[in-house]
Amino acid sequence: MPKIIIDPTSRILYASFYIEGLYQVFGKKNVAFSTKYFSDLKRDKEAFAFEHYFAFVLINTDKKVTRYIIDFCDPTDINSTAYDWCDYYAKINLDLEHDFNSQEKIISIPPSFGIKIWNHPETIYHCISNLIKCKSGLIIPVKRFLRDYHEQLKRPKLEAYQTAKFPKNSSEKAPYVYLIASLWQDKDSMSRTNLLRKKFIEICKSNNCNFEGGFFTSKDAAIPQGFEDFLFYKSYGTKEYVAKTILSKIVFNTPSVHKCHGWKLGEFLAMGKPILSTPISNKLPEELIHGKHIHIATSEEELKAGVELLLSNNDYCNYLSENIKTYFESFASPIAVIKNIVKVAIK
C-alpha cells in the first residue's frame, strides 16, 4: 500500500476534509506527518501560504514520490511557488474560463468544509507532535497554529452531515427554513452576496415560512440600509448550525467572497439538501445540473418562483435530494475527491 506524508505546517481545519479522504483511501496507519519531503517548498517565505493551500506526498510501492498541493483558497489565483513545487495542483475555486492547456498539473475539485477527524487525545497528540516537527519552520504564530487544531475538534464529524434525517412537512404546518450568514463588509459582497441572501429571506417570510436566521455581525460594524431587521449578534454554534440546517426544508446557495463556492455549498451537498442557488461562478469537476441536482435562479423573479416551487412540491425536493446525495458520493465526498486527485499516481 502507498504511504502518504503530510506537511505538518498545514492548516488542519481546512485540510481535515482531505485528510479524512486520505485515511479512507490509504488507511490511517499509512498516513503520517513529516517535514522530510517539504524542505524545498519554502512556505515560510510566503505570508499567506497557511491560508492558501496544504501539501502532501504519495510514496508508491516502487518508492516513487509524487507531490500534491490542495488549494482551498477563495480567490481563483494559482500559487506559483506551490505550483512549481508539485506534480499535481488540486484547486477548489477555478475560474470557469481557466485555460487548462497552459497548466497541465491543475485538477478541479469541488468545495469542502472543515470536519472533526480526531478525538481529544488524538488532537492533542497531533498538535504537539506537529508543532515539534515544524521547529523553526512554523509559518504562523504558535497561538494561531494551536487554534486551528481546537477549531477542528469543535467541528461535527462527516457522519453528522451524511446521516441527516429530514422532517416530513405536513400540509397544516408552515415549512421551517433556516439560513445564517456573515454580513460581509467587502464592496462586492455588499452589492451582491448580502443582497441576494436578504432577498431570499424576504421571499421566504412572504411565503408563510417558519423562518429562522439572518446575518451575523458585530454591534460596531457598518450596517447597510435595509438590513437592520435581519441581524443577530450572538453566533450560532457549529453543531447547532448543522442541526438546524438539516431541519430546513430548503437551503440557499450563492457565490460568496471572491465569488467562491464556500463551505455552505459543500455542506449542503453532504447533507443532500434541496438547494436553491444563483448561478455557480467557478468551475466544478462535474456540473450541477439545474432541475436534476439543484434549482438555479438567474433573476429575482426566478428566485421567487424557485422558493414557491420548492416549498410546495415535496416530490421535486425529494428528487433533488436523492440526486445531490449521489453527486456527493460520486464527486464531492472526501474519498471521491482524493481518488480523483491521486488516480494517476496509483494506477
Side-chain angles (χ1 to χ4, degrees):
M1 176 64 72
K3 304 292 184 182
I4 299 295
I5 306 298
I6 301 172
D7 178 6
T9 68
S10 298
R11 187 176 188 184
I12 291 300
L13 177 60
Y14 279 67
S16 58
F17 189 90
Y18 308 104
I19 295 173
E20 175 66 21
L22 291 168
Y23 284 164
Q24 291 181 14
V25 174
F26 298 100
K28 207 168 184 177
K29 66 180 181 180
N30 295 309
V31 179
F33 292 85
S34 173
T35 58
K36 180 178 178 181
Y37 297 92
F38 307 99
S39 59
D40 56 343
L41 181 52
K42 307 300 181 186
R43 296 188 77 193
D44 57 336
K45 304 299 182 184
E46 299 180 83
F48 194 60
F50 183 71
E51 313 286 345
H52 203 148
Y53 62 86
F54 92 103
F56 70 92
V57 301
L58 185 154
I59 307 170
N60 220 326
T61 51
D62 61 1
K63 306 302 180 183
K64 179 184 177 183
V65 176
T66 307
R67 298 173 166 188
Y68 294 91
I69 291 292
I70 296 185
D71 183 334
F72 41 66
C73 200
D74 292 342
T76 59
D77 63 303
I78 303 298
N79 184 284
S80 59
T81 299
Y83 184 84
D84 292 340
W85 175 85
C86 71
D87 297 298
Y88 297 99
Y89 191 107
K91 168 73 175 168
I92 290 180
N93 290 295
L94 281 171
D95 191 284
L96 286 170
E97 305 301 322
H98 187 88
D99 180 11
F100 284 91
N101 293 324
S102 65
Q103 294 176 308
E104 296 177 355
K105 299 178 184 180
I106 299 292
I107 302 169
S108 174
I109 56 174
S112 63
F113 49 95
I115 56 175
K116 180 179 179 178
I117 55 174
W118 300 317
N119 59 28
H120 279 76
E122 288 174 319
T123 300
I124 293 169
Y125 167 77
H126 285 295
C127 182
I128 295 174
S129 174
N130 286 340
L131 187 59
I132 293 170
K133 289 172 183 175
C134 292
K135 297 178 183 177
S136 60
L138 194 64
I139 59 178
I140 53 168
V142 172
K143 187 176 180 180
R144 178 69 184 85
F145 182 86
L146 299 177
R147 190 174 77 213
D148 216 59
Y149 284 79
H150 183 241
E151 290 297 319
Q152 172 272 151
L153 194 57
K154 295 193 297 182
R155 296 291 300 179
K157 293 182 179 181
L158 182 62
E159 291 77 15
Y161 296 88
Q162 294 182 290
T163 57
K165 301 296 183 184
F166 308 130
K168 293 183 178 179
N169 290 286
S170 66
S171 57
E172 296 89 19
K173 186 178 179 181
Y176 175 73
V177 179
Y178 176 74
L179 171 70
I180 60 169
S182 297
L183 185 66
W184 297 109
Q185 298 292 322
D186 61 286
K187 184 177 179 180
D188 181 57
S189 295
M190 285 286 194
S191 63
R192 180 178 52 82
T193 306
N194 292 345
L195 291 176
L196 286 167
R197 287 172 173 165
K198 176 174 173 284
K199 179 54 64 176
F200 172 78
I201 294 171
E202 289 173 334
I203 294 171
C204 285
K205 288 184 174 182
S206 70
N207 275 270
N208 192 35
C209 281
N210 176 16
F211 181 84
E212 180 180 359
F215 295 90
F216 175 69
T217 189
S218 61
K219 292 186 177 180
D220 58 351
I223 307 302
Q225 186 176 358
F227 280 77
E228 296 83 1
D229 296 332
F230 298 87
L231 305 176
F232 61 94
Y233 299 97
K234 182 180 179 181
S235 64
Y236 287 77
T238 304
K239 290 182 180 179
E240 184 181 14
Y241 158 74
V242 172
K244 288 180 179 291
T245 303
I246 288 170
L247 291 174
S248 185
K249 183 169 186 182
I250 63 173
V251 293
F252 179 62
N253 173 70
T254 191
S256 189
V257 178
H258 301 291
K259 299 183 180 179
C260 73
H261 293 308
W263 278 18
K264 276 184 167 48
L265 179 55
E267 291 174 317
F268 296 160
L269 297 177
M271 292 179 189
K273 298 297 297 182
I275 304 170
L276 175 62
S277 179
T278 59
I280 304 294
S281 295
N282 290 334
K283 187 175 178 60
L284 289 167
E286 292 291 332
E287 181 185 2
L288 286 169
I289 300 171
H290 169 66
K292 179 180 180 181
H293 304 112
I294 192 169
H295 189 92
I296 295 177
T298 61
S299 65
E300 184 175 324
E301 291 75 20
E302 289 185 3
L303 186 62
K304 184 174 184 295
V307 170
E308 293 172 353
L309 174 63
L310 289 167
L311 291 180
S312 63
N313 193 324
N314 288 333
D315 289 340
Y316 183 48
C317 282
N318 292 335
Y319 176 74
L320 293 179
S321 179
E322 289 305 312
N323 287 333
I324 211 65
K325 288 177 184 177
T326 301
Y327 180 98
F328 179 77
E329 292 298 330
S330 300
F331 307 113
S333 64
I335 190 170
V337 172
I338 291 299
K339 282 183 175 180
N340 182 43
I341 292 172
V342 305
K343 61 186 176 184
V344 176
I346 60 175
K347 281 184 178 179

